[in-house]
Amino acid sequence: MTYRDIRIVGDPVLRTVCAPITDITPGIRQLVDDLMENVNEPGRAGLAANQIGQSFRAFSWNIDGKRGYILNPVIVELSEDEYQDGDEGCLSVPELWYPCKRAWYAKAEGTDLDGNKVVVEGEEIWGRLIQHEVDHLDGHLYIDRLERAERKKALREIREKGM
């Protein structure tokens, strides 16, 4: 296994829009291997490529024993009238959990390494995961979506922790 350090808030790669994957190179195959192995660490539900320093549109997941990855994910459906606002956390903003409003259901489409269509969808934690990881690939962190007062509190806590 290639252990990859998680990039922390403040690292510019987390604020960079990730590039689409156009060619499946040995480097992209290694990236997927690293995403799949590193998402296996305890306490990890999802991992975006830029969280391990690679600015490509890919993420992996490990929820309830279901593991997988998707390349070039695009959210194609969100519930419009059902939301969740539970606490959300992020490996790139360690030890901070804040209420973040997300659609209850999300569906994303992309491909695998062989060009086959991949669909990942679900409600509650799955919906949150899809939206959270695609946000990463678009250069956003969950703290960007917090209500103003909560965001202010989160940014203060980030500064106090020296992140």
PDB file of all heavy atoms in Angstrom, residues 1-4 6 31-48 51-52 59-63 66-69 91 129 133:
ATOM      1  N   MET A   1       0.840  -1.187   0.000  1.00  0.00           N
ATOM      2  CA  MET A   1       0.000   0.000   0.000  1.00  0.00           C
ATOM      3  C   MET A   1       0.877   1.240   0.000  1.00  0.00           C
ATOM      4  O   MET A   1       1.883   1.309   0.675  1.00  0.00           O
ATOM      5  CB  MET A   1      -0.882   0.004   1.247  1.00  0.00           C
ATOM      6  CG  MET A   1      -1.687   1.268   1.400  1.00  0.00           C
ATOM      7  SD  MET A   1      -2.770   1.181   2.822  1.00  0.00           S
ATOM      8  CE  MET A   1      -2.596   2.839   3.420  1.00  0.00           C
ATOM      9  N   THR A   2       0.452   2.217  -0.758  1.00  0.00           N
ATOM     10  CA  THR A   2       1.110   3.510  -0.742  1.00  0.00           C
ATOM     11  C   THR A   2       0.292   4.424   0.144  1.00  0.00           C
ATOM     12  O   THR A   2      -0.809   4.829  -0.222  1.00  0.00           O
ATOM     13  CB  THR A   2       1.207   4.100  -2.165  1.00  0.00           C
ATOM     14  OG1 THR A   2       1.884   3.174  -3.006  1.00  0.00           O
ATOM     15  CG2 THR A   2       1.931   5.429  -2.145  1.00  0.00           C
ATOM     16  N   TYR A   3       0.813   4.694   1.335  1.00  0.00           N
ATOM     17  CA  TYR A   3       0.112   5.593   2.239  1.00  0.00           C
ATOM     18  C   TYR A   3       0.271   7.009   1.731  1.00  0.00           C
ATOM     19  O   TYR A   3       1.365   7.440   1.386  1.00  0.00           O
ATOM     20  CB  TYR A   3       0.649   5.480   3.670  1.00  0.00           C
ATOM     21  CG  TYR A   3      -0.056   6.433   4.595  1.00  0.00           C
ATOM     22  CD1 TYR A   3      -1.310   6.115   5.106  1.00  0.00           C
ATOM     23  CD2 TYR A   3       0.492   7.662   4.911  1.00  0.00           C
ATOM     24  CE1 TYR A   3      -1.989   6.999   5.924  1.00  0.00           C
ATOM     25  CE2 TYR A   3      -0.171   8.561   5.724  1.00  0.00           C
ATOM     26  CZ  TYR A   3      -1.410   8.218   6.228  1.00  0.00           C
ATOM     27  OH  TYR A   3      -2.090   9.103   7.025  1.00  0.00           O
ATOM     28  N   ARG A   4      -0.829   7.724   1.662  1.00  0.00           N
ATOM     29  CA  ARG A   4      -0.802   9.100   1.178  1.00  0.00           C
ATOM     30  C   ARG A   4      -1.274  10.021   2.293  1.00  0.00           C
ATOM     31  O   ARG A   4      -2.304   9.775   2.914  1.00  0.00           O
ATOM     32  CB  ARG A   4      -1.724   9.251  -0.033  1.00  0.00           C
ATOM     33  CG  ARG A   4      -1.424   8.286  -1.187  1.00  0.00           C
ATOM     34  CD  ARG A   4      -0.117   8.612  -1.892  1.00  0.00           C
ATOM     35  NE  ARG A   4      -0.175   9.833  -2.614  1.00  0.00           N
ATOM     36  CZ  ARG A   4      -0.510   9.952  -3.895  1.00  0.00           C
ATOM     37  NH1 ARG A   4      -0.815   8.903  -4.600  1.00  0.00           N
ATOM     38  NH2 ARG A   4      -0.531  11.144  -4.456  1.00  0.00           N
ATOM     39  N   ILE A   6      -3.039  13.120   3.950  1.00  0.00           N
ATOM     40  CA  ILE A   6      -4.238  13.879   3.626  1.00  0.00           C
ATOM     41  C   ILE A   6      -3.900  15.359   3.648  1.00  0.00           C
ATOM     42  O   ILE A   6      -3.320  15.858   4.609  1.00  0.00           O
ATOM     43  CB  ILE A   6      -5.374  13.583   4.634  1.00  0.00           C
ATOM     44  CG1 ILE A   6      -5.702  12.084   4.646  1.00  0.00           C
ATOM     45  CG2 ILE A   6      -6.616  14.433   4.325  1.00  0.00           C
ATOM     46  CD1 ILE A   6      -6.227  11.536   3.346  1.00  0.00           C
ATOM     47  N   LEU A  31      -3.274   6.097  -8.990  1.00  0.00           N
ATOM     48  CA  LEU A  31      -4.129   7.000  -8.220  1.00  0.00           C
ATOM     49  C   LEU A  31      -5.354   6.257  -7.699  1.00  0.00           C
ATOM     50  O   LEU A  31      -5.699   6.363  -6.513  1.00  0.00           O
ATOM     51  CB  LEU A  31      -4.563   8.192  -9.082  1.00  0.00           C
ATOM     52  CG  LEU A  31      -5.644   9.090  -8.479  1.00  0.00           C
ATOM     53  CD1 LEU A  31      -5.174   9.739  -7.174  1.00  0.00           C
ATOM     54  CD2 LEU A  31      -6.082  10.140  -9.492  1.00  0.00           C
ATOM     55  N   VAL A  32      -6.007   5.472  -8.546  1.00  0.00           N
ATOM     56  CA  VAL A  32      -7.185   4.712  -8.113  1.00  0.00           C
ATOM     57  C   VAL A  32      -6.799   3.690  -7.045  1.00  0.00           C
ATOM     58  O   VAL A  32      -7.497   3.542  -6.033  1.00  0.00           O
ATOM     59  CB  VAL A  32      -7.895   4.050  -9.312  1.00  0.00           C
ATOM     60  CG1 VAL A  32      -8.957   3.055  -8.852  1.00  0.00           C
ATOM     61  CG2 VAL A  32      -8.524   5.122 -10.207  1.00  0.00           C
ATOM     62  N   ASP A  33      -5.673   3.002  -7.236  1.00  0.00           N
ATOM     63  CA  ASP A  33      -5.197   2.063  -6.203  1.00  0.00           C
ATOM     64  C   ASP A  33      -4.996   2.788  -4.874  1.00  0.00           C
ATOM     65  O   ASP A  33      -5.400   2.300  -3.820  1.00  0.00           O
ATOM     66  CB  ASP A  33      -3.879   1.400  -6.619  1.00  0.00           C
ATOM     67  CG  ASP A  33      -4.056   0.340  -7.696  1.00  0.00           C
ATOM     68  OD1 ASP A  33      -5.206  -0.071  -7.958  1.00  0.00           O
ATOM     69  OD2 ASP A  33      -3.027  -0.057  -8.289  1.00  0.00           O
ATOM     70  N   ASP A  34      -4.366   3.948  -4.929  1.00  0.00           N
ATOM     71  CA  ASP A  34      -4.112   4.724  -3.706  1.00  0.00           C
ATOM     72  C   ASP A  34      -5.418   5.191  -3.068  1.00  0.00           C
ATOM     73  O   ASP A  34      -5.572   5.130  -1.842  1.00  0.00           O
ATOM     74  CB  ASP A  34      -3.220   5.927  -4.003  1.00  0.00           C
ATOM     75  CG  ASP A  34      -1.787   5.540  -4.351  1.00  0.00           C
ATOM     76  OD1 ASP A  34      -1.427   4.349  -4.189  1.00  0.00           O
ATOM     77  OD2 ASP A  34      -1.041   6.424  -4.800  1.00  0.00           O
ATOM     78  N   LEU A  35      -6.369   5.657  -3.886  1.00  0.00           N
ATOM     79  CA  LEU A  35      -7.663   6.073  -3.350  1.00  0.00           C
ATOM     80  C   LEU A  35      -8.374   4.907  -2.665  1.00  0.00           C
ATOM     81  O   LEU A  35      -8.926   5.052  -1.576  1.00  0.00           O
ATOM     82  CB  LEU A  35      -8.556   6.643  -4.461  1.00  0.00           C
ATOM     83  CG  LEU A  35      -8.227   8.039  -4.950  1.00  0.00           C
ATOM     84  CD1 LEU A  35      -9.016   8.360  -6.222  1.00  0.00           C
ATOM     85  CD2 LEU A  35      -8.501   9.079  -3.869  1.00  0.00           C
ATOM     86  N   MET A  36      -8.348   3.741  -3.301  1.00  0.00           N
ATOM     87  CA  MET A  36      -9.040   2.574  -2.743  1.00  0.00           C
ATOM     88  C   MET A  36      -8.376   2.085  -1.457  1.00  0.00           C
ATOM     89  O   MET A  36      -9.052   1.707  -0.511  1.00  0.00           O
ATOM     90  CB  MET A  36      -9.099   1.448  -3.776  1.00  0.00           C
ATOM     91  CG  MET A  36     -10.002   1.762  -4.960  1.00  0.00           C
ATOM     92  SD  MET A  36     -11.719   2.071  -4.482  1.00  0.00           S
ATOM     93  CE  MET A  36     -12.200   0.465  -3.888  1.00  0.00           C
ATOM     94  N   GLU A  37      -7.068   2.101  -1.425  1.00  0.00           N
ATOM     95  CA  GLU A  37      -6.375   1.624  -0.221  1.00  0.00           C
ATOM     96  C   GLU A  37      -6.454   2.634   0.916  1.00  0.00           C
ATOM     97  O   GLU A  37      -6.649   2.264   2.062  1.00  0.00           O
ATOM     98  CB  GLU A  37      -4.929   1.285  -0.554  1.00  0.00           C
ATOM     99  CG  GLU A  37      -4.862   0.051  -1.455  1.00  0.00           C
ATOM    100  CD  GLU A  37      -3.521  -0.612  -1.443  1.00  0.00           C
ATOM    101  OE1 GLU A  37      -2.843  -0.582  -0.407  1.00  0.00           O
ATOM    102  OE2 GLU A  37      -3.160  -1.169  -2.491  1.00  0.00           O
ATOM    103  N   ASN A  38      -6.332   3.917   0.606  1.00  0.00           N
ATOM    104  CA  ASN A  38      -6.335   4.940   1.652  1.00  0.00           C
ATOM    105  C   ASN A  38      -7.727   5.214   2.215  1.00  0.00           C
ATOM    106  O   ASN A  38      -7.847   5.665   3.349  1.00  0.00           O
ATOM    107  CB  ASN A  38      -5.678   6.227   1.158  1.00  0.00           C
ATOM    108  CG  ASN A  38      -4.166   6.105   1.137  1.00  0.00           C
ATOM    109  OD1 ASN A  38      -3.503   6.439   2.100  1.00  0.00           O
ATOM    110  ND2 ASN A  38      -3.608   5.583   0.043  1.00  0.00           N
ATOM    111  N   VAL A  39      -8.791   4.943   1.459  1.00  0.00           N
ATOM    112  CA  VAL A  39     -10.144   5.125   1.994  1.00  0.00           C
ATOM    113  C   VAL A  39     -10.473   4.025   3.002  1.00  0.00           C
ATOM    114  O   VAL A  39     -11.424   4.133   3.758  1.00  0.00           O
ATOM    115  CB  VAL A  39     -11.204   5.216   0.868  1.00  0.00           C
ATOM    116  CG1 VAL A  39     -11.572   3.822   0.330  1.00  0.00           C
ATOM    117  CG2 VAL A  39     -12.443   5.966   1.342  1.00  0.00           C
ATOM    118  N   ASN A  40      -9.654   2.991   3.039  1.00  0.00           N
ATOM    119  CA  ASN A  40      -9.860   1.881   3.977  1.00  0.00           C
ATOM    120  C   ASN A  40      -9.455   2.204   5.407  1.00  0.00           C
ATOM    121  O   ASN A  40      -9.756   1.443   6.313  1.00  0.00           O
ATOM    122  CB  ASN A  40      -9.070   0.649   3.520  1.00  0.00           C
ATOM    123  CG  ASN A  40      -9.964  -0.369   2.884  1.00  0.00           C
ATOM    124  OD1 ASN A  40     -11.180  -0.241   2.889  1.00  0.00           O
ATOM    125  ND2 ASN A  40      -9.356  -1.386   2.320  1.00  0.00           N
ATOM    126  N   GLU A  41      -8.739   3.291   5.607  1.00  0.00           N
ATOM    127  CA  GLU A  41      -8.311   3.668   6.952  1.00  0.00           C
ATOM    128  C   GLU A  41      -9.536   3.931   7.828  1.00  0.00           C
ATOM    129  O   GLU A  41     -10.554   4.415   7.337  1.00  0.00           O
ATOM    130  CB  GLU A  41      -7.420   4.910   6.902  1.00  0.00           C
ATOM    131  CG  GLU A  41      -6.100   4.711   6.195  1.00  0.00           C
ATOM    132  CD  GLU A  41      -5.158   3.799   6.946  1.00  0.00           C
ATOM    133  OE1 GLU A  41      -4.979   3.998   8.158  1.00  0.00           O
ATOM    134  OE2 GLU A  41      -4.617   2.879   6.310  1.00  0.00           O
ATOM    135  N   PRO A  42      -9.448   3.632   9.109  1.00  0.00           N
ATOM    136  CA  PRO A  42     -10.595   3.859  10.007  1.00  0.00           C
ATOM    137  C   PRO A  42     -11.089   5.307   9.966  1.00  0.00           C
ATOM    138  O   PRO A  42     -10.299   6.243   9.864  1.00  0.00           O
ATOM    139  CB  PRO A  42     -10.025   3.532  11.391  1.00  0.00           C
ATOM    140  CG  PRO A  42      -8.873   2.622  11.125  1.00  0.00           C
ATOM    141  CD  PRO A  42      -8.298   3.052   9.803  1.00  0.00           C
ATOM    142  N   GLY A  43     -12.416   5.455  10.025  1.00  0.00           N
ATOM    143  CA  GLY A  43     -13.021   6.776  10.065  1.00  0.00           C
ATOM    144  C   GLY A  43     -13.164   7.451   8.717  1.00  0.00           C
ATOM    145  O   GLY A  43     -13.521   8.621   8.647  1.00  0.00           O
ATOM    146  N   ARG A  44     -12.923   6.729   7.648  1.00  0.00           N
ATOM    147  CA  ARG A  44     -13.005   7.321   6.315  1.00  0.00           C
ATOM    148  C   ARG A  44     -14.176   6.730   5.535  1.00  0.00           C
ATOM    149  O   ARG A  44     -14.271   5.529   5.358  1.00  0.00           O
ATOM    150  CB  ARG A  44     -11.711   7.095   5.536  1.00  0.00           C
ATOM    151  CG  ARG A  44     -10.549   7.808   6.185  1.00  0.00           C
ATOM    152  CD  ARG A  44      -9.269   7.639   5.425  1.00  0.00           C
ATOM    153  NE  ARG A  44      -8.207   8.370   6.110  1.00  0.00           N
ATOM    154  CZ  ARG A  44      -6.956   8.390   5.707  1.00  0.00           C
ATOM    155  NH1 ARG A  44      -6.596   7.753   4.616  1.00  0.00           N
ATOM    156  NH2 ARG A  44      -6.056   9.074   6.388  1.00  0.00           N
ATOM    157  N   ALA A  45     -15.036   7.611   5.040  1.00  0.00           N
ATOM    158  CA  ALA A  45     -16.166   7.186   4.222  1.00  0.00           C
ATOM    159  C   ALA A  45     -15.898   7.472   2.748  1.00  0.00           C
ATOM    160  O   ALA A  45     -16.333   6.732   1.875  1.00  0.00           O
ATOM    161  CB  ALA A  45     -17.441   7.901   4.659  1.00  0.00           C
ATOM    162  N   GLY A  46     -15.182   8.550   2.476  1.00  0.00           N
ATOM    163  CA  GLY A  46     -14.881   8.932   1.103  1.00  0.00           C
ATOM    164  C   GLY A  46     -13.555   9.655   1.036  1.00  0.00           C
ATOM    165  O   GLY A  46     -13.075  10.193   2.034  1.00  0.00           O
ATOM    166  N   LEU A  47     -12.961   9.643  -0.146  1.00  0.00           N
ATOM    167  CA  LEU A  47     -11.664  10.284  -0.339  1.00  0.00           C
ATOM    168  C   LEU A  47     -11.568  10.779  -1.777  1.00  0.00           C
ATOM    169  O   LEU A  47     -11.693   9.995  -2.724  1.00  0.00           O
ATOM    170  CB  LEU A  47     -10.540   9.284  -0.049  1.00  0.00           C
ATOM    171  CG  LEU A  47      -9.124   9.814  -0.020  1.00  0.00           C
ATOM    172  CD1 LEU A  47      -8.936  10.849   1.086  1.00  0.00           C
ATOM    173  CD2 LEU A  47      -8.141   8.658   0.179  1.00  0.00           C
ATOM    174  N   ALA A  48     -11.374  12.075  -1.933  1.00  0.00           N
ATOM    175  CA  ALA A  48     -11.216  12.680  -3.263  1.00  0.00           C
ATOM    176  C   ALA A  48      -9.733  12.746  -3.616  1.00  0.00           C
ATOM    177  O   ALA A  48      -8.870  12.866  -2.741  1.00  0.00           O
ATOM    178  CB  ALA A  48     -11.832  14.077  -3.278  1.00  0.00           C
ATOM    179  N   GLN A  51      -7.504  15.376  -2.161  1.00  0.00           N
ATOM    180  CA  GLN A  51      -7.176  15.233  -0.739  1.00  0.00           C
ATOM    181  C   GLN A  51      -5.860  14.490  -0.534  1.00  0.00           C
ATOM    182  O   GLN A  51      -5.279  14.559   0.544  1.00  0.00           O
ATOM    183  CB  GLN A  51      -8.293  14.515   0.007  1.00  0.00           C
ATOM    184  CG  GLN A  51      -9.540  15.360   0.166  1.00  0.00           C
ATOM    185  CD  GLN A  51     -10.578  14.628   0.960  1.00  0.00           C
ATOM    186  OE1 GLN A  51     -11.287  13.783   0.439  1.00  0.00           O
ATOM    187  NE2 GLN A  51     -10.640  14.944   2.245  1.00  0.00           N
ATOM    188  N   ILE A  52      -5.412  13.781  -1.563  1.00  0.00           N
ATOM    189  CA  ILE A  52      -4.100  13.133  -1.487  1.00  0.00           C
ATOM    190  C   ILE A  52      -3.125  13.784  -2.481  1.00  0.00           C
ATOM    191  O   ILE A  52      -2.133  13.199  -2.879  1.00  0.00           O
ATOM    192  CB  ILE A  52      -4.174  11.599  -1.667  1.00  0.00           C
ATOM    193  CG1 ILE A  52      -4.816  11.199  -2.991  1.00  0.00           C
ATOM    194  CG2 ILE A  52      -4.890  10.963  -0.482  1.00  0.00           C
ATOM    195  CD1 ILE A  52      -4.757   9.702  -3.300  1.00  0.00           C
ATOM    196  N   PHE A  59     -12.913   9.955  -7.069  1.00  0.00           N
ATOM    197  CA  PHE A  59     -13.027   9.735  -5.635  1.00  0.00           C
ATOM    198  C   PHE A  59     -13.375   8.285  -5.353  1.00  0.00           C
ATOM    199  O   PHE A  59     -13.832   7.554  -6.229  1.00  0.00           O
ATOM    200  CB  PHE A  59     -14.002  10.714  -4.965  1.00  0.00           C
ATOM    201  CG  PHE A  59     -15.476  10.492  -5.196  1.00  0.00           C
ATOM    202  CD1 PHE A  59     -16.186   9.562  -4.439  1.00  0.00           C
ATOM    203  CD2 PHE A  59     -16.167  11.263  -6.115  1.00  0.00           C
ATOM    204  CE1 PHE A  59     -17.551   9.391  -4.624  1.00  0.00           C
ATOM    205  CE2 PHE A  59     -17.526  11.105  -6.303  1.00  0.00           C
ATOM    206  CZ  PHE A  59     -18.232  10.154  -5.554  1.00  0.00           C
ATOM    207  N   SER A  60     -13.107   7.881  -4.120  1.00  0.00           N
ATOM    208  CA  SER A  60     -13.414   6.523  -3.674  1.00  0.00           C
ATOM    209  C   SER A  60     -14.335   6.608  -2.467  1.00  0.00           C
ATOM    210  O   SER A  60     -14.468   7.650  -1.845  1.00  0.00           O
ATOM    211  CB  SER A  60     -12.131   5.770  -3.313  1.00  0.00           C
ATOM    212  OG  SER A  60     -11.440   6.429  -2.265  1.00  0.00           O
ATOM    213  N   TRP A  61     -14.963   5.472  -2.142  1.00  0.00           N
ATOM    214  CA  TRP A  61     -15.833   5.420  -0.967  1.00  0.00           C
ATOM    215  C   TRP A  61     -15.707   4.076  -0.274  1.00  0.00           C
ATOM    216  O   TRP A  61     -15.264   3.081  -0.864  1.00  0.00           O
ATOM    217  CB  TRP A  61     -17.290   5.702  -1.340  1.00  0.00           C
ATOM    218  CG  TRP A  61     -17.889   4.682  -2.266  1.00  0.00           C
ATOM    219  CD1 TRP A  61     -18.467   3.488  -1.928  1.00  0.00           C
ATOM    220  CD2 TRP A  61     -17.962   4.766  -3.689  1.00  0.00           C
ATOM    221  NE1 TRP A  61     -18.898   2.834  -3.051  1.00  0.00           N
ATOM    222  CE2 TRP A  61     -18.599   3.597  -4.139  1.00  0.00           C
ATOM    223  CE3 TRP A  61     -17.559   5.724  -4.619  1.00  0.00           C
ATOM    224  CZ2 TRP A  61     -18.836   3.353  -5.496  1.00  0.00           C
ATOM    225  CZ3 TRP A  61     -17.798   5.471  -5.956  1.00  0.00           C
ATOM    226  CH2 TRP A  61     -18.428   4.306  -6.383  1.00  0.00           C
ATOM    227  N   ASN A  62     -16.096   4.087   0.989  1.00  0.00           N
ATOM    228  CA  ASN A  62     -16.098   2.884   1.827  1.00  0.00           C
ATOM    229  C   ASN A  62     -17.172   3.093   2.898  1.00  0.00           C
ATOM    230  O   ASN A  62     -16.894   3.651   3.954  1.00  0.00           O
ATOM    231  CB  ASN A  62     -14.725   2.672   2.457  1.00  0.00           C
ATOM    232  CG  ASN A  62     -14.660   1.415   3.296  1.00  0.00           C
ATOM    233  OD1 ASN A  62     -15.598   0.637   3.351  1.00  0.00           O
ATOM    234  ND2 ASN A  62     -13.546   1.223   3.967  1.00  0.00           N
ATOM    235  N   ILE A  63     -18.386   2.682   2.587  1.00  0.00           N
ATOM    236  CA  ILE A  63     -19.510   2.854   3.500  1.00  0.00           C
ATOM    237  C   ILE A  63     -20.228   1.517   3.667  1.00  0.00           C
ATOM    238  O   ILE A  63     -20.594   0.882   2.666  1.00  0.00           O
ATOM    239  CB  ILE A  63     -20.510   3.909   2.982  1.00  0.00           C
ATOM    240  CG1 ILE A  63     -19.842   5.279   2.892  1.00  0.00           C
ATOM    241  CG2 ILE A  63     -21.746   3.974   3.872  1.00  0.00           C
ATOM    242  CD1 ILE A  63     -20.739   6.361   2.340  1.00  0.00           C
ATOM    243  N   LYS A  66     -19.341  -1.364   1.573  1.00  0.00           N
ATOM    244  CA  LYS A  66     -19.378  -1.166   0.128  1.00  0.00           C
ATOM    245  C   LYS A  66     -18.257  -0.216  -0.251  1.00  0.00           C
ATOM    246  O   LYS A  66     -18.193   0.901   0.231  1.00  0.00           O
ATOM    247  CB  LYS A  66     -20.728  -0.591  -0.307  1.00  0.00           C
ATOM    248  CG  LYS A  66     -21.866  -1.540  -0.047  1.00  0.00           C
ATOM    249  CD  LYS A  66     -23.181  -0.922  -0.436  1.00  0.00           C
ATOM    250  CE  LYS A  66     -24.314  -1.871  -0.062  1.00  0.00           C
ATOM    251  NZ  LYS A  66     -25.616  -1.249  -0.182  1.00  0.00           N
ATOM    252  N   ARG A  67     -17.355  -0.720  -1.115  1.00  0.00           N
ATOM    253  CA  ARG A  67     -16.212   0.072  -1.551  1.00  0.00           C
ATOM    254  C   ARG A  67     -16.279   0.268  -3.049  1.00  0.00           C
ATOM    255  O   ARG A  67     -16.742  -0.599  -3.774  1.00  0.00           O
ATOM    256  CB  ARG A  67     -14.911  -0.655  -1.198  1.00  0.00           C
ATOM    257  CG  ARG A  67     -14.709  -0.865   0.288  1.00  0.00           C
ATOM    258  CD  ARG A  67     -13.442  -1.663   0.592  1.00  0.00           C
ATOM    259  NE  ARG A  67     -12.287  -0.916   0.156  1.00  0.00           N
ATOM    260  CZ  ARG A  67     -11.348  -1.389  -0.660  1.00  0.00           C
ATOM    261  NH1 ARG A  67     -11.402  -2.609  -1.119  1.00  0.00           N
ATOM    262  NH2 ARG A  67     -10.323  -0.626  -1.010  1.00  0.00           N
ATOM    263  N   GLY A  68     -15.767   1.411  -3.502  1.00  0.00           N
ATOM    264  CA  GLY A  68     -15.735   1.648  -4.930  1.00  0.00           C
ATOM    265  C   GLY A  68     -15.057   2.962  -5.256  1.00  0.00           C
ATOM    266  O   GLY A  68     -14.557   3.658  -4.373  1.00  0.00           O
ATOM    267  N   TYR A  69     -15.060   3.271  -6.545  1.00  0.00           N
ATOM    268  CA  TYR A  69     -14.473   4.521  -7.015  1.00  0.00           C
ATOM    269  C   TYR A  69     -15.219   4.957  -8.269  1.00  0.00           C
ATOM    270  O   TYR A  69     -15.920   4.157  -8.906  1.00  0.00           O
ATOM    271  CB  TYR A  69     -12.973   4.360  -7.313  1.00  0.00           C
ATOM    272  CG  TYR A  69     -12.707   3.529  -8.549  1.00  0.00           C
ATOM    273  CD1 TYR A  69     -12.571   4.130  -9.800  1.00  0.00           C
ATOM    274  CD2 TYR A  69     -12.620   2.144  -8.471  1.00  0.00           C
ATOM    275  CE1 TYR A  69     -12.353   3.361 -10.937  1.00  0.00           C
ATOM    276  CE2 TYR A  69     -12.405   1.369  -9.595  1.00  0.00           C
ATOM    277  CZ  TYR A  69     -12.275   1.991 -10.831  1.00  0.00           C
ATOM    278  OH  TYR A  69     -12.078   1.230 -11.957  1.00  0.00           O
ATOM    279  N   LEU A  91     -11.869  14.923   6.295  1.00  0.00           N
ATOM    280  CA  LEU A  91     -10.474  14.584   6.601  1.00  0.00           C
ATOM    281  C   LEU A  91      -9.551  15.782   6.414  1.00  0.00           C
ATOM    282  O   LEU A  91      -8.529  15.887   7.083  1.00  0.00           O
ATOM    283  CB  LEU A  91     -10.010  13.438   5.705  1.00  0.00           C
ATOM    284  CG  LEU A  91     -10.756  12.119   5.862  1.00  0.00           C
ATOM    285  CD1 LEU A  91     -10.372  11.161   4.743  1.00  0.00           C
ATOM    286  CD2 LEU A  91     -10.488  11.514   7.224  1.00  0.00           C
ATOM    287  N   LEU A 129     -22.260  11.918   0.961  1.00  0.00           N
ATOM    288  CA  LEU A 129     -20.941  11.537   0.434  1.00  0.00           C
ATOM    289  C   LEU A 129     -20.757  12.020  -1.001  1.00  0.00           C
ATOM    290  O   LEU A 129     -19.736  12.633  -1.333  1.00  0.00           O
ATOM    291  CB  LEU A 129     -20.760  10.019   0.488  1.00  0.00           C
ATOM    292  CG  LEU A 129     -19.531   9.532  -0.289  1.00  0.00           C
ATOM    293  CD1 LEU A 129     -18.408   9.207   0.654  1.00  0.00           C
ATOM    294  CD2 LEU A 129     -19.864   8.366  -1.181  1.00  0.00           C
ATOM    295  N   GLU A 133     -17.898  14.778  -1.901  1.00  0.00           N
ATOM    296  CA  GLU A 133     -16.720  14.432  -2.705  1.00  0.00           C
ATOM    297  C   GLU A 133     -16.693  15.199  -4.025  1.00  0.00           C
ATOM    298  O   GLU A 133     -15.629  15.646  -4.465  1.00  0.00           O
ATOM    299  CB  GLU A 133     -16.650  12.924  -2.942  1.00  0.00           C
ATOM    300  CG  GLU A 133     -16.554  12.086  -1.669  1.00  0.00           C
ATOM    301  CD  GLU A 133     -15.426  12.469  -0.729  1.00  0.00           C
ATOM    302  OE1 GLU A 133     -14.379  12.980  -1.181  1.00  0.00           O
ATOM    303  OE2 GLU A 133     -15.586  12.251   0.491  1.00  0.00           O
TER     304      GLU A 133
END
